[in-house]
Amino acid sequence: MVAVRANLDLAKRYVAEKVLREAFNYMEKNPEENFPRLLHVARMLARKEVHKQQIAKVLEAYRQNPSIHAYVNRLFNLHPNVKQRLIYNWFVNAMLLGIPRQQQVEKETGVHIPNFFLLDPTSDCNLRCHGCWAGEYAHHDSLELDLVDRLCREAKEVGIYWLAMSGGEPFRWPHLFELAERHPDMAFMLYTNGTLIDDAVADRLVEVGNITPAISLEGWRERTDARRGKGVFDRVMKAMDALRERGLVFGVSITITRENVEEVTSDAFIDFLLEKGVVYGWSFHYIPIGREPKPELMITPEQRAYLVERVAYIRNHKGLQLADFWNDGELTLGCIAGGRRYFHITASGAVEPCAFIHFSLENIKEKSLMEVLQSPLFRAYQQRQPFSDNLLRPCPLIDVPGALREIIAATGARPTHPGAETALSGPIGAYLDTNAARWAEVADRIWQERHPVEAEKELTAGK
């Protein structure tokens, strides 16, 4: 009976994948008319009502928002191999087919399956950026190709087709392109400093088709070079030109500090990124962890409130899909870490709940993917999520630091490098507590303005 059900599921996936691939290929000929048809097919194949509603919202945005409309059409003016590998793998395999598979596995096993994970294949890096979040990990760690290959195979078995990589510098890992070739049905996204992307690397990216770099910038030349080293900005610009000229998809990764918050979100800078060919962006609020942590670089509550409105404006009016991990809690329904939507594997194999929370109980060298997903550390996270009813306060590190202390104490999770524990106590821990309290006052006002009915119910219940 089990074998019959497995064969039936395989047949269903084959039919669904065939239908979607044909619809996807058909759309390339005229995305203006055929993208809505692809979404219609996707909506019919979606199993959960919430996913049907999300697809309907995408269709509405495509039809009514000129920036979103232009953004989607832009994705189909890329190199053919990139469209067939990267876009298809992310949109169809990772989202439309992968998520239902994740839900099926969770139903059958009771183990929650995230949407993706972040992997550091190597801790080796050619730069030494000030305040690097990974700067205190050992600098000589590297994962073997066979181990990462095994992880990818195990990931696909449970419906994960999206793997993000960081480091160190992922382009320093010698097995990168071989891994991508071994798994042509997966989408790989790399957080990279961009300085190792030359014409030869760009050509290889076209050949494999399923890798997209997210290149780090701190703002304009002066700001970027001040943190990353003289000449880095110009090298990044050359890399972006090489990627754009070949029709590759690439993004930008921005660490937002108290000093650059307005610079990196200005019209001039966003327009510049679009002209260079940037398709997406990740923004990270500076967190005082890693190399030489400086709490005074954290953005103020007022600056964070500015970002709540500004990032939404950029997404809706500039045509750049920019994520804001700490302010997008309302979209993600809270913290995504701890295996809920993602988790982090270091170059030593340590399994962390988040790239910014350097504590662990498991090592992927010793256990399978399914085994580490059952970690007591992950269960402790998921039992407490969301960490606040106000989803503008999603993070247990900077928004509800007491929750993180409770999790670490309850599970006995160990620091993954010397100094990681300073985020829980001492001057940095005290600073995070104070900052969290200040942001709570501002965030609660914003939340009440956005959700007056819910706020009134909570007030009434409190009385």
Side-chain angles (χ1 to χ4, degrees), residues 31-66:
E32 194 80 22
E33 294 182 5
N34 296 329
F35 183 66
R37 296 177 183 176
L38 176 63
L39 290 180
H40 179 67
V41 173
R43 193 168 187 271
M44 289 191 298
L45 292 174
R47 297 182 182 181
K48 286 197 169 185
E49 182 59 31
V50 64
H51 295 141
K52 293 180 182 293
Q53 293 173 1
Q54 289 171 347
I55 293 170
K57 288 181 180 179
V58 172
L59 178 58
E60 181 182 5
Y62 180 75
R63 286 174 169 167
Q64 298 185 5
N65 187 318

Side-chain angles (χ1 to χ4, degrees), residues 113-171:
I113 309 299
N115 302 129
F116 71 103
F117 59 96
L118 174 66
L119 175 79
D120 301 342
T122 179
S123 60
D124 184 24
C125 187
N126 61 314
L127 300 183
R128 288 186 61 82
C129 304
H130 299 301
C132 174
W133 64 269
E136 290 303 311
Y137 291 131
H139 297 163
H140 53 74
D141 290 327
S142 183
L143 298 176
E144 295 181 356
L145 174 60
D146 287 345
L147 171 62
V148 182
D149 179 66
R150 185 257 291 177
L151 276 172
C152 289
R153 285 185 277 107
E154 292 178 347
K156 289 188 289 187
E157 289 175 1
V158 297
I160 301 174
Y161 286 83
W162 176 21
L163 173 58
M165 288 186 176
S166 186
E169 169 52 53
F171 279 106

Side-chain angles (χ1 to χ4, degrees), residues 327-367:
N327 279 352
D328 277 343
E330 194 168 2
L331 295 176
T332 60
L333 302 180
C335 171
I336 66 173
R340 176 175 170 258
R341 291 288 179 264
Y342 104 107
F343 63 97
H344 178 226
I345 300 174
T346 73
S348 69
V351 181
E352 299 175 337
C354 175
F356 300 96
I357 296 179
H358 300 172
F359 292 85
S360 178
L361 285 174
E362 321 288 345
N363 194 293
I364 201 64
K365 295 179 180 179
E366 302 163 357
K367 297 184 177 181

Side-chain angles (χ1 to χ4, degrees), residues 49 114 145 176 212 398:
E49 182 59 31
L145 174 60
L176 176 63
T212 173
I398 67 170

Side-chain angles (χ1 to χ4, degrees), residues 38 52 99-100 143 145 176 189 201 230 349 406 414 431:
L38 176 63
K52 293 180 182 293
I99 291 177
L143 298 176
L145 174 60
L176 176 63
M189 190 204 72
V201 170
K230 187 176 180 179
E406 182 181 298
R414 299 173 295 275
Y431 187 95

Side-chain angles (χ1 to χ4, degrees), residues 382-397:
Q382 293 165 22
Q383 288 168 359
R384 292 166 173 80
Q385 289 166 324
F387 295 105
S388 171
D389 291 333
N390 182 341
L391 298 180
L392 293 174
R393 300 173 54 222
C395 179
L397 176 59

